[in-house]
Amino acid sequence: MRHWLATAADQQRHQWIKRFDPRYWTVDFPRPMMAAVTTVGADAVAVDVTFLRRNDLAGLIWESADRWSHPLLAYETARDYRGTTLAFRWQSTGAVQPLDAVDGPVLTIEGEDAGGVARSWYVRLWNHAVGIGSDAAVRLDFDALAGGFLLPDEADPVWPRAIERMFISLVPPGHDGSDAPLAEPVSGRVTISDIRCDGPRSMLRAGDALLPPHALRICSGYDDSYNQTPERLVEAMFALGYRGSLVHYVGMSHFPGLRWDAGEAAYLADPAVPVCAPAAAWHADFIARAVALGFAPIMSLSFELLDQHCPAAWAQRSTGGTRALTGYVPPSTLLSPANGTAMAWLHSAAVALVGIAVAAGAAPRFQIGEPWWWVGPDHVPCLYDAATKARYLADRGEVPPAITDIRAVATAAERNWLDWCGALLGTATLALRDAVTAAAPGAETLLLFYAPQVLNAAAPELIRANLPLAWASPAFDVLQLEDYDFVTSGDFGGQARARSVVQDRLGYPVAQQHYFSGFATAAGDWPAIADAAAVAMARGVAETFVWAWPQVARFGFTAFRIDSDGDIAMIAFHDVLFPLELGYGATGGPEFSTQVVVTGSGHEQRNSQWSNARQYYDAGLGIRSEADLSALIAFFRARRGQAHGFRFTDPLDNSTASGGEGVSALDQVIGTGDGGRTRFALMKTYGDTDTLQSRRISRPLAESVRIAVDGNVRFSGWTLAPGGNVDFEAAPAAGAVITAGFRFDVPVRFATDRIDVSIAGWRAGELPSVPLVEMRED
């Protein structure tokens, strides 16, 4: 294991924070408006807003339960606000309704009443303010707080013992509840400073983890973190041991400036405002804080845009004219590399974002993320938008052939069309690179390639369109590879094939490659993700990233220190064999752990704590000479006692064959194919059908392994991977029975840090005790 999925109960160290600490406020709002929250002091928070409609409303939110922090850093849940007061200074500028307006800012409190019934209270802040509408001191006493517009006539006392969350609403001038567009987008800022919380419940306990730095790098995603303060995010990444390069995926939904388009009756990306004011403010703060903590940010932008904000002419389309739509909710679409207006907008957004990073103190680094022609789950390629078809007609003098299933490409004309589309994608990608380097000379450029979508074994011709030769080294400074569908589905053959194809086609040396391990949709995905990261490090890639922070925080992923060879510093195994002349004289065998409780009547209740036995040996009986004593001491010292594991050949159980016969590929069933899985673990089974015990074999003798598929003992499309895993080049067919035969060693360690031996004792017939215990490596 190279990680730990932590929970709040695992917090080891704690700190105390004030309730309403500026770092932990969040913001939210309905699309298509935009808002962002940043900390502007130890006791101050700012909200930047851009309103587009008359019913737009942003909420500055405090939650009693911490839903966003990593579990080791989260603050405690505290819903009782009795005895608590909150005071702050309110200042607003620009297009935000002031406190004294009829529809001015309201504090909405959600919780339960004295009877435990869920309800909300609406506290007009102006009733608790001193000053003017745009600059006032506000004081809220939760023991005497009441909702209602007019006080005391309309007072609605707040029940402070069960508050779930509270938010301050911000609305534009002219707010009337309708979704009619404003005449033009308007922006403003609210600063809440001098935040003070007093009273016996004003302090909250929070996690205070600070892990040692490790070699794993982190990615962040603005689409999933836009609602949090940059200070909270960056400090959390630092606390979890992440350092160095930080890839920041700007995303596809929350950064663009938008405008109302009457013709399409939608808010669309505005070429004149590639990055809206709230997103610009957030990113400037995020990058500055990252640089201050020693991170080296990489700004990332893709060809992807939220579909509802994408002009009709910009989107990639299928032969039937339907837009390319991803599986996100709401869906995003992919920009056509042939549409000049779309590409110009993308260039301006990239230049603006890199400019923000440089102004915040970062070196210019820019990643082009996953550029491709979209092919959805229906296998229909989206190569047929009007701009692409028109360019092909002008270039080739013919209409492109219609491909309705990328798996069924069969003609030379179709292959030529895919090659042409690949060349166009390559040209568009390099043009984006050049736009960034022209604006930021010396910028490092990186290309992120997502292998599973492109290197689909069922659609071998897709590589022509989506892995252009124009990307070949040295087109970019670094090639970044991600293959998370292969990883989480257990398709190790797909991983190996992707590395091989990309290397052959693009030619980036491993020292100019990065690897992205992720994306976790469930807690069970993390072991495979962590293992894939370790394998990448062992391969020697320059940097390995986990994708991405929102999933790290959600599942409590916590990385241990990982060395450059891909192993954890605290876990050590020496792949050496315990001396055979000592091992064959050892005694021992399997042991279980069973609790036996004898009742007063003499009956027993037994609880078996282990599902499988663990081997235990005493190698002392194998010592037959003074030379053996010396060999034992030398081996023990080299292992540093219990610190390092090693191989041990069990003299009675070291083969899948019985009776001393040679191994056969038909000895053991190790799995059944499902048409997608390519990795199968070596196993040995014991017992009869009703009480079968399966033993994981992690240290086979490589030269002894034999594999058969459905009885075919000459099957050759497999390799033996570390950890006793068999990787197939292509997934065995559904229902295919995979069998194996092999010899194996047992991974063990010394069960003590001390061995007592003496020449006199041995000569007198006293044999030392040399206990060995099996290490579980599965």
Side-chain angles (χ1 to χ4, degrees):
M1 297 292 289
R2 298 173 176 86
H3 73 282
W4 170 34
L5 297 186
T7 68
D10 297 316
Q11 291 180 356
Q12 299 293 313
R13 295 176 51 188
H14 298 93
Q15 62 176 323
W16 290 93
I17 65 170
K18 276 288 189 179
R19 197 193 293 261
F20 306 118
D21 186 308
R23 294 171 293 176
Y24 299 100
W25 287 85
T26 61
V27 69
D28 220 339
F29 45 87
R31 299 184 193 275
M33 71 160 292
M34 182 59 199
V37 57
T38 56
T39 50
V40 292
D43 62 354
V45 64
V47 183
D48 291 276
V49 295
T50 296
F51 298 114
L52 302 175
R53 302 174 300 177
R54 293 185 178 276
N55 65 346
D56 279 345
L57 181 150
L60 177 60
I61 303 167
W62 177 268
E63 296 184 270
S64 297
D66 188 346
R67 298 189 298 128
W68 305 103
S69 295
H70 187 282
L72 295 181
L73 303 172
Y75 58 77
E76 66 175 315
T77 298
R79 297 183 175 89
D80 191 345
Y81 287 61
R82 286 178 297 166
T84 302
T85 62
L86 168 63
F88 57 85
R89 181 182 180 186
W90 165 283
Q91 293 173 291
S92 59
T93 58
V96 177
Q97 284 286 54
L99 288 174
D100 56 348
V102 172
D103 55 355
V106 170
L107 176 67
T108 299
I109 298 177
E110 299 173 341
E112 297 177 352
D113 63 17
V117 178
R119 62 156 301 178
S120 299
W121 293 266
Y122 305 96
V123 179
R124 189 187 184 203
L125 289 182
W126 183 242
N127 290 335
H128 305 272
V130 176
I132 61 175
S134 60
D135 190 346
V138 177
R139 186 176 185 278
L140 305 170
D141 181 349
F142 284 87
D143 286 341
L145 198 58
F149 187 80
L150 296 175
L151 300 181
D153 295 345
E154 299 175 357
D156 181 14
V158 172
W159 179 253
R161 299 189 183 189
I163 293 176
E164 196 65 41
R165 75 166 187 164
M166 47 192 284
F167 64 89
I168 299 172
S169 57
L170 311 176
V171 300
H175 183 274
D176 61 10
S178 71
D179 62 358
L182 295 170
E184 61 182 16
V186 294
S187 298
R189 167 175 271 215
V190 170
T191 302
I192 294 179
S193 59
D194 300 330
I195 297 174
R196 300 184 308 279
C197 183
D198 297 307
R201 292 181 175 83
S202 64
M203 301 297 293
L204 300 176
R205 191 176 70 170
D208 189 26
L210 186 60
L211 274 66
H214 49 73
L216 197 60
R217 305 302 185 222
I218 190 66
C219 301
S220 60
Y222 186 52
D223 278 334
D224 295 317
S225 303
Y226 68 90
N227 62 324
Q228 300 172 63
T229 66
E231 183 175 5
R232 180 185 197 171
L233 295 168
V234 175
E235 286 188 349
M237 296 172 194
F238 186 87
L240 269 293
Y242 296 99
R243 301 290 190 275
S245 293
L246 187 167
V247 170
H248 177 66
Y249 181 54
V250 179
M252 48 83 179
S253 62
H254 286 100
F255 76 88
L258 303 176
R259 60 176 174 80
W260 175 254
D261 186 289
E264 296 194 32
Y267 283 98
L268 304 179
D270 185 355
V273 186
V275 180
C276 66
W282 191 97
H283 281 91
D285 189 57
F286 179 85
I287 298 300
R289 293 185 183 279
V291 170
L293 285 178
F295 287 105
I298 300 170
M299 302 298 279
S300 170
L301 201 59
S302 72
F303 280 55
E304 193 174 5
L305 182 61
L306 190 67
D307 182 65
Q308 66 192 56
H309 299 326
C310 181
W314 293 12
Q316 297 178 16
R317 293 180 181 270
S318 69
T319 53
T322 57
R323 293 161 74 119
L325 296 179
T326 66
Y328 294 105
V329 180
S332 57
T333 191
L334 278 296
L335 302 178
S336 168
N339 188 288
T341 307
M343 292 298 98
W345 172 83
L346 188 61
H347 293 182
S348 62
V351 168
L353 289 164
V354 172
I356 290 171
V358 171
R365 307 178 78 192
F366 179 68
Q367 178 209 79
I368 302 175
E370 301 176 354
W372 56 25
W373 295 98
W374 178 253
V375 179
D378 57 2
H379 310 290
V380 178
C382 293
L383 310 167
Y384 299 93
D385 61 277
T388 301
K389 292 190 295 183
R391 183 174 292 192
Y392 186 77
L393 180 62
D395 189 19
R396 298 294 181 91
E398 60 186 24
V399 174
I403 301 175
T404 57
D405 190 329
I406 196 63
R407 300 169 298 178
V409 174
T411 69
E414 291 172 336
R415 287 189 286 271
N416 290 338
W417 163 237
L418 292 175
D419 287 336
W420 184 90
C421 289
L424 177 62
L425 178 63
T427 299
T429 310
L430 297 183
L432 178 56
R433 175 204 65 184
D434 293 344
V436 170
T437 55
E444 180 184 31
T445 59
L446 308 93
L447 177 76
L448 176 63
F449 175 67
Y450 177 64
Q453 202 268 2
V454 177
L455 302 180
N456 185 340
E461 302 294 353
L462 182 57
I463 191 174
R464 296 174 178 270
N466 277 347
L467 191 57
L469 293 174
W471 293 348
S473 178
F476 297 92
D477 296 308
V478 177
L479 174 69
Q480 299 178 309
L481 178 67
E482 58 176 332
D483 57 2
Y484 60 78
D485 277 9
F486 288 155
V487 170
T488 56
S489 66
D491 187 355
F492 292 87
Q495 293 179 57
R497 185 175 69 254
R499 291 194 296 267
S500 177
V501 170
V502 171
Q503 182 63 41
D504 290 345
R505 194 167 174 90
L506 302 185
Y508 287 85
V510 70
Q512 288 178 248
Q513 293 183 32
H514 293 170
Y515 178 73
F516 283 59
S517 197
F519 170 101
T521 59
D525 291 337
W526 283 108
I529 291 170
D531 286 346
V535 169
M537 290 179 181
R539 275 200 307 123
V541 299
E543 300 201 77
T544 300
F545 295 79
V546 61
W547 184 269
W549 176 256
Q551 287 71 44
V552 168
R554 180 180 307 135
F555 294 108
F557 176 79
T558 307
F560 293 106
R561 181 170 180 171
I562 302 176
D563 292 335
S564 59
D565 63 357
D567 213 349
I568 304 173
M570 64 180 293
I571 296 178
F573 188 91
H574 291 175
D575 198 14
V576 296
L577 182 66
F578 188 74
L580 284 175
E581 62 274 16
L582 302 183
Y584 277 127
T587 63
E591 67 170 345
F592 285 91
S593 176
T594 306
Q595 287 184 334
V596 180
V597 178
V598 181
T599 65
S601 63
H603 290 83
E604 293 181 349
Q605 182 173 352
R606 293 174 299 279
N607 178 32
S608 181
Q609 296 179 298
W610 297 350
S611 60
N612 283 296
R614 185 167 72 159
Q615 302 295 115
Y616 188 89
Y617 307 96
D618 192 328
L621 294 178
I623 299 175
R624 306 182 188 279
S625 67
E626 294 176 16
D628 288 347
L629 279 176
S630 297
L632 171 65
I633 293 171
F635 191 86
F636 182 80
R637 291 179 66 90
R639 307 289 84 76
R640 297 174 183 261
Q642 299 183 79
H644 299 273
F646 51 92
R647 287 176 176 260
F648 177 81
T649 301
D650 188 325
L652 297 176
D653 187 5
N654 57 56
S655 173
T656 56
S658 59
E661 299 177 0
V663 299
S664 162
L666 304 178
D667 284 349
Q668 294 282 322
V669 175
I670 62 171
T672 302
D674 61 7
R677 180 181 170 197
T678 61
R679 171 166 286 190
F680 294 82
L682 295 180
M683 309 289 293
K684 182 176 180 181
T685 54
Y686 301 80
D688 53 45
T689 303
D690 295 332
T691 58
L692 202 63
Q693 288 281 308
S694 294
R695 180 183 181 188
R696 178 76 167 83
I697 304 299
S698 61
R699 299 286 168 174
L701 275 63
E703 67 278 3
S704 73
V705 178
R706 306 286 185 268
I707 300 295
V709 176
D710 271 345
N712 179 8
V713 298
R714 297 184 180 276
F715 192 90
S716 60
W718 61 273
T719 57
L720 182 64
N725 292 298
V726 176
D727 287 349
F728 288 90
E729 294 176 4
V737 178
I738 296 93
T739 55
F742 47 87
R743 295 181 58 223
F744 61 92
D745 293 324
V746 183
V748 300
R749 62 170 172 81
F750 288 106
T752 179
D753 277 326
R754 170 178 165 178
I755 291 180
D756 294 318
V757 295
S758 73
I759 294 293
W762 180 80
R763 290 174 177 171
E766 295 177 4
L767 297 179
S769 176
V770 186
L772 310 176
V773 64
E774 182 180 6
M775 298 169 58
R776 297 193 192 276
E777 293 189 301
D778 54 346

